[in-house]
Amino acid sequence: TIQNVISVIEGKEEPDRYVILGNHRDAWTFGAADPNSGTAALLELAERLSKLQTKGWRPRRTIILCNWDAEEYGLIGSTEWVEENRAMLTSRTVAYLNVDVGVSGSGLDASATPQLDELLKQASKKVQNPDNGTESLYDMWMASDGSLIGRLGGGGSDYSAFVQHIGIPSVQMSIWSG
Ligand SMILES: [Zn+2]
């Protein structure tokens, strides 16, 4: 049995606009990097957003957190969910943000559809490099070999159904060593 875990935080100003974050849960073996390092980030984010809500915060747009099952088995969990909700997702989704292997090294690797290139750059300028408090993630990224933004293609992870079935602007991020 395949089970996705989907969490919805309704937006305050644009509830019918969705920003979707996803990460898979199943692993080939023990899954320390793939996918549990990404799952740790998703769970941490979920906890922070939950705490913010207890203080009365609501996001501008609806945020949907997705913990996918059966990614390694052929992207089945995310693909079935996109197919099941195709019409709604096509008309309402602003962007899909995917993290698979969250951390397996020390350099930022990012791939996106072209609409999100500039957003990636701007967002990375607002995040401190966790290994160097005097520079941003953007500085670290530009100093590394992998500073170019790749393009999302093929079926590498759960962004696939969003990009290739319903044409949603998407990004995949990872901290890795190449
Ligand atoms: Zn994976």
Side-chain angles (χ1 to χ4, degrees), residues 77-97:
S78 57
T79 301
E80 289 293 325
W81 192 77
V82 167
E83 288 182 352
E84 193 176 339
N85 298 290
R86 175 189 292 263
M88 179 179 65
L89 294 173
T90 302
S91 62
R92 297 183 179 179
T93 308
V94 174
Y96 174 68
L97 314 178

Side-chain angles (χ1 to χ4, degrees), residues 24 26 33-35 71-72 100-101 156-158:
H24 74 90
D26 61 307
D34 183 2
E71 191 267 0
E72 305 292 10
D100 189 319
V101 180
S157 191
D158 292 304

